[in-house]
Amino acid sequence: MLRALCVGVLVLWLVADRLLDDRSRAFQTLSYLTLTICLPFFFCYMFLQNNASGIWLGSLICGMLYLAVAVEISNFFVMFLLGCIAAVGSYLLLPHNTLELYALYETIPVILFAFGGGLILKFAEEWTIHHNQKRAVALAGSIAHELRTPLLGIRLELENFSRLCKEAGFADGTSNSKHCDEISSRVNRHVLKASHMVECLLLNVRDEAFDSRGFTHQSMKAVLEDVFARYPMTEREKKIIRVREHEDFTFWGDGLLMSHVVMNLLKNAFEAIAAAEKGHIEIYFSRIEGKNAMCVRDTGRGIAAETRAKIFDRFYSNTQGGAGLGLAFCKRVIDSFGGALECNSEAGEYTEFRIWLPAGEAA
């Protein structure tokens, strides 16, 4: 019956994984209970019912190590203790086989030794991950700083190139003049895009909290205009953006940070459309239940449900060559404004990012 209970709980958890959002409190609670029942509780209870036999001692240790792999160190400690306490309570309250105490006493040091080993392994794993993340952040910041200087040099050389073309006597409107202007425009667009990526990278790698003392009331329409003025879009990219007529609204925050959020969302939308080789981007404002929202929706490749649950995690990326910093940075910014960033998507159909912000003063 206990095995049947564990199978039923696992089936329920698998069904919930398909129906519920992985980040919802209901799914996280169910996951917590499922792992606690199926690993420490089940193996500890069977260990006691079978007179602390060697087979069930090994099974209990394996269940403990599986739990250590599956969860964070704090959850491992709490879930294992709760499962064992529940198992002991169930053993004492329900009909049970006689347990020889000397057999139990002999196994307690082994269980504690395995438990300590599990804690040490989990701590070492989390320390390694944290250390590698810090090294990645430091490396990204160093690369970004180093790139600023050559990019500035390219921009200066580009200005010098334009000046030399004029001094060479190319009259405005001639084929030579148009050719030089086209070259300058293309190179300048690439430089601006690279500069924008460097600036975003520097903002993304900083994990400290944003200083809210400089926050003021900002116009979302003004932010959007700033994005279109600064983001280096190609002519093709400009043609696939549609902006609905909308009523402006204000939010409490920083205009530059919000601009970088919108630029990140646009960059992701352009990449999704390029990967799907179809689609367009729609940007619109909405107001629901006293909250304002700005939405960026693309009809590109979409995002699978299992991926959508992780996209705001730092260093997680489902695109080749991605650093996993952009959306995590966006979420941090919107959280600092007292808002929320949501993603709705259907694989192969669309992706919509919605920035929810508390209603501010009239724009």
Side-chain angles (χ1 to χ4, degrees), residues 23 265 307-316 324 326-332 341-343 353-354:
R23 294 168 293 171
L265 298 182
T307 301
R308 194 163 65 249
K310 306 173 186 177
I311 57 174
F312 295 116
D313 294 346
R314 205 156 183 250
F315 298 105
Y316 175 81
L327 289 176
F329 163 77
C330 293
K331 190 175 187 307
R332 284 175 52 221
L341 180 59
E342 296 178 353
C343 175
F353 285 96
R354 184 167 294 186

Side-chain angles (χ1 to χ4, degrees), residues 2-180:
L2 183 58
R3 287 185 172 89
L5 172 65
C6 291
V7 171
V9 171
L10 282 170
V11 170
L12 178 63
W13 178 72
L14 290 172
V15 171
D17 184 43
R18 305 291 296 180
L19 300 178
L20 299 178
D21 187 344
D22 290 357
R23 294 168 293 171
S24 67
R25 184 180 297 274
F27 182 79
Q28 291 178 355
T29 302
L30 180 60
S31 300
Y32 198 96
L33 291 175
T34 299
L35 289 173
T36 303
I37 292 171
C38 294
L39 291 176
F41 174 78
F42 173 80
F43 288 111
C44 184
Y45 182 80
M46 296 300 289
F47 168 74
L48 296 173
Q49 282 283 26
N50 288 275
N51 196 29
S53 69
I55 292 176
W56 283 103
L57 173 62
S59 300
L60 176 60
I61 292 173
C62 287
M64 185 190 309
L65 295 177
Y66 291 156
L67 185 65
V69 171
V71 300
E72 296 178 352
I73 187 169
S74 57
N75 286 331
F76 167 69
F77 184 82
V78 174
M79 292 167 75
F80 182 77
L81 289 183
L82 287 178
C84 289
I85 291 171
V88 172
S90 299
Y91 172 79
L92 295 175
L93 294 174
L94 298 174
H96 56 268
N97 298 325
T98 302
L99 177 64
E100 297 178 6
L101 294 180
Y102 78 91
L104 178 63
Y105 294 154
E106 286 180 343
T107 60
I108 288 177
V110 179
I111 294 173
L112 292 176
F113 180 73
F115 180 71
L119 285 176
I120 292 172
L121 288 174
K122 197 63 184 178
F123 176 79
E125 177 191 356
E126 293 188 4
W127 182 88
T128 301
I129 292 172
H130 179 69
H131 182 65
N132 288 339
Q133 287 178 347
K134 288 182 66 176
R135 290 178 62 186
V137 167
L139 178 61
S142 176
I143 292 173
H145 278 296
E146 293 298 326
L147 284 174
R148 273 182 163 177
T149 301
L151 285 173
L152 178 60
I154 293 173
R155 293 190 67 178
L156 293 174
E157 291 297 331
L158 186 60
E159 292 175 1
N160 189 43
F161 171 76
S162 298
R163 181 179 58 80
L164 290 174
C165 286
K166 292 180 180 179
E167 291 179 356
F170 294 150
D172 292 338
T174 63
S175 59
N176 287 333
S177 174
K178 290 180 179 179
H179 189 56
C180 289

Side-chain angles (χ1 to χ4, degrees), residues 182-197:
E182 288 173 0
I183 293 174
S184 298
S185 178
R186 286 198 301 269
V187 176
N188 189 54
R189 188 165 58 246
H190 291 313
V191 172
L192 286 174
K193 184 171 286 189
S195 299
H196 164 67
M197 291 174 65

Side-chain angles (χ1 to χ4, degrees), residues 181-249:
D181 290 341
E182 288 173 0
I183 293 174
S184 298
S185 178
R186 286 198 301 269
V187 176
N188 189 54
R189 188 165 58 246
H190 291 313
V191 172
L192 286 174
K193 184 171 286 189
S195 299
H196 164 67
M197 291 174 65
V198 169
E199 196 172 350
C200 282
L201 182 59
L202 286 172
L203 286 169
N204 290 344
V205 298
R206 298 181 186 129
D207 199 24
E208 66 269 13
F210 296 106
D211 187 0
S212 61
R213 290 176 297 180
F215 289 179
T216 59
H217 286 288
Q218 301 285 335
S219 163
M220 183 57 81
K221 186 176 181 180
V223 167
L224 198 57
E225 290 172 352
D226 176 63
V227 169
F228 288 144
R230 292 200 304 149
Y231 192 86
M233 289 183 282
T234 64
E235 291 301 319
R236 181 181 177 280
E237 289 173 339
K238 291 177 182 178
K239 291 178 181 178
I240 62 174
I241 292 183
R242 305 171 186 172
V243 181
R244 287 191 204 168
E245 291 296 326
H246 51 258
E247 183 179 349
D248 191 17
F249 67 85

